[in-house]
Amino acid sequence: MTEDKAIASTLADAGLAMAAARVRAAPAEGPRRIGYEANAEMSLASGTASASLRNEALRVDLNHAPPDLVAGVLIAAGANRAQAGTLTQALVEMREAADRSPIGPLQSIDELALLPDMPAAVAIRAARYATVSSGLEGVRLDGIDDALLRAIPNLPRAIRNAIVAHRAGRSPRRSSTQSLQRANCIPPRVPRFGAQNSTWFFQAAIRRPTKR
C-alpha cells in the first residue's frame, strides 16, 4: 500500500508539473490566443498521468460578474435580450441573498438550470461561456469567445474594435489595455494579458499498468 501511494503521488506530481509547463509556455501577450482548454499526457514506468486545463479567465463567473457580463452569457447561449435581463435579475437577487453565506449561490455550473424560468437549452449552452470557480469579477475580453464578445450589453463599439485590432496584431499592448479599462463592466484590476495572469481549472487522472 505504501508503494502504491508513492507511485500515485509521483504520477500526480507529474500531472501538476506538466500542467504548469503548459501554462508557462502559453503566449504572454499579442494576437495569439491562449484558448479555452489544454490537454497533455505523460507516460512513466509506473503509469500514465493525464492533465486537463481550462482557462477560467476566459469565462464569466456567474457568482461574481456584473449583470452585463451575466446577461451576455445568456444572450450568447440563445436567450433573447428581454429574457436574459429577467434571468440575470433573478440570479443577481439570488447572489445578494447569499452574501452572508461563506459559499456562492452556485456551486456548479449545472445549477444554472435550476434558476426559475431558465430554458434547459440555454443553461446547457451557457456552460461554454460561464464558470462558478474563477472568483473574477471581470473577464479577459481579449481572449473570450467571439459570440460572447458580441453579446455583452452596453459594451462600447470602440472596445470591440480595440479587441479585434489586438487579436490581429494591429494594436500595441498599452493602447489595448487603456481601451479595455474604459469598459465599465471590466474592472481595471482584472487581468487581461498574459498566461501568468490567468486562472486555470485543473483536472488530473492517473493510470497504473495492470498487474499480471
Side-chain angles (χ1 to χ4, degrees):
M1 184 180 295
T2 300
E3 180 182 355
D4 286 344
K5 286 182 177 180
I7 291 173
S9 178
T10 299
L11 288 170
D13 287 343
L16 284 168
M18 186 167 47
R22 291 297 296 268
V23 172
R24 289 179 65 86
E29 59 182 74
R32 294 174 60 200
R33 298 176 65 180
I34 295 173
Y36 275 101
E37 297 180 352
N39 299 286
E41 188 171 280
M42 178 184 295
S43 295
L44 304 174
S46 55
T48 301
S50 301
S52 174
L53 289 163
R54 188 177 70 211
N55 193 344
E56 296 288 83
L58 302 183
R59 296 171 183 247
V60 174
D61 191 321
L62 299 179
N63 286 335
H64 296 90
D68 277 348
L69 289 182
V70 175
V73 166
L74 298 176
I75 293 169
N80 60 50
R81 290 186 176 270
Q83 188 179 39
T86 301
L87 293 171
T88 297
Q89 182 60 35
L91 180 58
V92 169
E93 291 174 358
M94 183 189 299
R95 294 191 323 196
E96 291 173 350
D99 276 348
R100 290 183 293 275
S101 172
I103 58 177
L106 299 180
Q107 301 306 299
S108 164
I109 195 65
D110 296 331
E111 293 179 10
L112 186 62
L114 302 179
L115 201 66
D117 301 320
M118 170 65 71
V122 171
I124 292 171
R125 287 193 292 266
R128 172 174 174 78
Y129 311 108
T131 181
V132 294
S133 61
S134 77
L136 296 176
E137 295 179 15
V139 66
R140 284 184 51 142
L141 283 179
D142 59 305
I144 63 173
D145 188 275
D146 289 338
L148 176 56
L149 180 63
R150 292 191 300 268
I152 299 173
N154 303 317
L155 184 63
R157 183 182 298 274
I159 301 299
R160 291 190 175 90
N161 291 341
I163 294 167
V164 171
H166 172 72
R167 289 176 177 176
R170 300 194 304 268
S171 177
R173 175 182 178 180
R174 183 175 179 180
S175 175
S176 298
T177 301
Q178 290 173 346
S179 295
L180 291 172
Q181 286 178 344
R182 287 197 292 269
N184 292 332
C185 62
I186 312 300
R189 65 181 178 276
V190 174
R192 297 176 183 84
F193 298 95
Q196 68 275 14
N197 289 331
S198 294
T199 174
W200 296 82
F201 181 80
F202 170 73
Q203 287 182 307
I206 58 175
R207 298 191 301 276
R208 294 281 311 279
T210 303
K211 295 182 178 181
R212 297 183 179 178

